[in-house]
Amino acid sequence: DHDNRKPWKGTPQAPDRLYFEADEITEEVAHFVATKFHYHPGQIDTSRLPATRADAVTLWQRAKRECMEHFGTYEDAMSTKAPALFHTLISSVMNLGRISPHQVIEDVLEMPIPMNSKEGFIRQVLGWREFIRHVHQQTDGLRELPQSVQPANRSADGTVNHLSADEPLPPVFWGEAPSGLACLDQVVNEVVETGYTHHINRLMVLANWATLLGVSPRELTDWFWSMFTDAYDWVVEPNVLGMGTFATGPLMSTKPYISGSAYMKRMSDYCGDCQFKAGKDCPMTSLYWSFLNRNAPELKSSIRMLMPLASARRRKDDQKAHDEQTLKHVRERLRAGKRVTVTPKVIEERQHGFA
Ligand SMILES: Cc1cc2nc3c(=O)[nH]c(=O)nc-3n(C[C@H](O)[C@H](O)[C@H](O)COP(=O)(O)OP(=O)(O)OC[C@H]3O[C@@H](n4cnc5c(N)ncnc54)[C@H](O)[C@@H]3O)c2cc1C
Ligand code: SF4
């Protein structure tokens, strides 16, 4: 993991976008979708959508040639300048059966590439993709969980909801109302335009914001299912309910994947143009502390959460009050489809210099 966490600063050069030529069937399907479902979110651009077996082979050859060497090193990086970075974009065609997981693993095993890329990629496909499928199959789509790993709560419709999160999904996710949070707006735009964003954007931007806000895991899952070209129940549900929101509790991970803004600042270039200052007055950090204090009873059984929970507990009363006010402000603005604004308290702090 240590070798797979480098931020990307513009070099080595990331692969160019790949365009596809649509055949007659693809054009017909695109026309059908554009006509019948024109009121759905997103856009349809066949030049960006690999569809045939030949497209899948072209995409995979390009991945081997241009992505694989640096795949591992920049796996967790995020950038506005090269949104897909060294990710392969093969999930849609692999989930469609146009190319098999077995073939991509065999190919990568033979490639003379650095070990962090080889291991990192095989772990994604064999370790994660196949594990996710296994979880879905073994639990009847998360309906039947082993007694030892039951979530503490479920929603009224039966969806796992360990942390009892029930905030409605805000309109920003549908691309309808920019939030003023540069990272979230950037990634939502990518999804609306292409039906894709890479793994860390899904986990540490989209799911992170939703989890910190306390968004209903069911609503978030349905959103992922609607918006991504690689979405199928078997892969969306464990990823969003298990990995993204911790709604399954400890079934798939020992702790929630959440972060404050220091992580975003380190791993992305999103914060540079944002109205907020990462690590100083960014609301993500306040929401992180608020999340920990709010959910402490459900999280304290995880040994990996003991340190973060202790740090959250030790925050001074005025800091805790500020965290709660920030959560309230962000929720209210996003619910109403309005931009989150810099609060008067933050303006005052900026004028007097940060503590
Ligand atoms: C909240 C959330 C929702 C997700 N929803 C989907 C989804 O609807 N469909 C989907 O295929 N993947 C989903 N993923 C997993 C992963 O993000 C995508 O498979 C990956 O981003 C696809 O892009 P890529 O092909 O460029 O991947 P690369 O980074 O190039 O990785 C190579 C391959 O590894 C596999 N892989 C890696 N991680 C996972 C994983 N956690 N689950 C399944 N396969 C994985 C994919 O097949 C992917 O094509 C989700 C992850 C999260 C955190
Ligand atoms: S400062 Fe905060 S809201 Fe802005 S891009 Fe960075 S993490 Fe996102």
Side-chain angles (χ1 to χ4, degrees):
D1 274 352
H2 177 263
D3 295 336
N4 293 30
R5 289 201 182 123
K6 210 167 168 195
W8 184 72
K9 305 282 185 192
T11 53
Q13 195 182 344
D16 286 334
R17 263 160 57 165
L18 189 61
Y19 294 93
F20 301 92
E21 208 171 309
D23 65 8
E24 235 173 77
I25 298 174
T26 306
E27 287 295 3
E28 190 186 328
V29 173
H31 178 71
F32 175 80
V33 172
T35 315
K36 293 274 181 204
F37 303 102
H38 56 87
Y39 53 90
H40 281 220
Q43 301 159 8
I44 186 156
D45 174 359
T46 52
S47 71
R48 307 282 299 268
L49 291 173
T52 62
R53 163 74 182 160
D55 292 345
V57 170
T58 306
L59 186 65
W60 178 233
Q61 278 169 348
R62 175 256 200 189
K64 286 192 284 183
R65 201 175 53 241
E66 297 177 30
C67 302
M68 214 44 77
E69 178 167 2
H70 301 296
F71 177 88
T73 306
Y74 301 102
E75 209 179 332
D76 284 6
M78 296 167 272
S79 174
T80 55
K81 295 180 191 76
L85 277 171
F86 299 94
H87 293 272
T88 63
L89 311 173
I90 60 164
S91 52
S92 300
V93 284
M94 199 142 72
N95 295 350
L96 273 173
R98 293 280 191 260
I99 191 160
S100 75
H102 184 253
Q103 184 193 333
V104 299
I105 289 175
E106 289 283 304
D107 286 358
V108 169
L109 278 173
E110 295 300 316
M111 288 180 72
I113 52 173
M115 186 50 86
N116 65 331
S117 287
K118 190 174 282 207
E119 187 278 332
F121 183 82
I122 292 174
R123 180 165 15 144
Q124 295 307 307
V125 179
L126 191 59
W128 276 109
R129 185 179 190 273
E130 300 311 306
F131 168 62
I132 290 279
R133 176 125 187 116
H134 172 78
V135 169
H136 177 80
Q137 284 180 329
Q138 290 301 307
T139 62
D140 187 20
L142 302 177
R143 285 182 198 87
E144 307 275 333
L145 300 186
Q147 206 48 45
S148 55
V149 281
Q150 287 291 331
N153 302 290
R154 283 182 184 260
S155 302
D157 65 4
T159 305
V160 289
N161 193 353
H162 190 61
L163 304 176
S164 300
D166 59 2
E167 181 71 12
L169 186 78
V172 50
F173 277 79
W174 298 104
E176 290 165 0
S179 66
L181 307 161
C183 51
L184 184 58
D185 291 339
Q186 161 73 24
V187 175
V188 166
N189 278 344
E190 272 171 50
V191 178
V192 170
E193 279 177 17
T194 66
Y196 172 89
T197 192
H198 74 62
H199 184 69
I200 298 300
N201 283 328
R202 298 186 202 203
L203 187 63
M204 300 312 292
V205 178
L206 297 168
N208 188 34
W209 272 116
T211 304
L212 297 181
L213 284 163
V215 166
S216 147
R218 178 77 266 155
E219 285 198 33
L220 185 70
T221 305
D222 292 348
W223 177 81
F224 267 98
W225 189 83
S226 308
M227 297 298 278
F228 283 79
T229 60
D230 58 15
Y232 295 85
D233 282 351
W234 68 264
V235 64
V236 175
E237 298 227 333
N239 267 305
V240 184
L241 296 170
M243 197 181 194
T245 60
F246 205 58
T248 51
L251 175 74
M252 286 174 53
S253 60
T254 48
K255 68 179 209 35
Y257 287 90
I258 48 167
S259 82
S261 58
Y263 176 84
M264 294 302 298
K265 189 177 174 197
R266 190 168 70 250
M267 295 307 299
S268 82
D269 59 14
Y270 300 153
C271 303
D273 289 334
C274 188
Q275 62 175 325
F276 296 102
K277 300 207 182 315
K280 298 217 161 81
D281 56 35
C282 169
M284 186 186 268
T285 304
S286 294
L287 266 63
Y288 172 81
W289 294 121
S290 166
F291 173 91
L292 290 176
N293 281 321
R294 178 170 84 245
N295 294 299
E298 281 76 29
L299 301 177
K300 66 177 187 228
S301 56
S302 164
I303 202 157
R304 294 177 68 197
M305 292 309 292
L306 294 182
M307 293 255 288
L309 286 173
S311 304
R313 242 187 350 260
R314 275 199 300 271
R315 281 174 75 71
K316 295 184 191 126
D317 286 348
D318 62 330
Q319 290 176 315
K320 287 184 183 171
H322 174 67
D323 296 339
E324 294 315 305
Q325 276 161 12
T326 306
L327 174 67
K328 186 167 174 285
H329 170 75
V330 177
R331 276 180 170 169
E332 280 173 3
R333 301 291 297 183
L334 294 185
R335 241 185 251 155
K338 294 187 176 154
R339 286 167 62 86
V340 177
T341 49
V342 178
T343 58
K345 182 172 187 296
V346 168
I347 294 171
E348 193 190 322
E349 276 174 2
R350 283 184 185 174
Q351 279 162 355
H352 293 94
F354 291 99

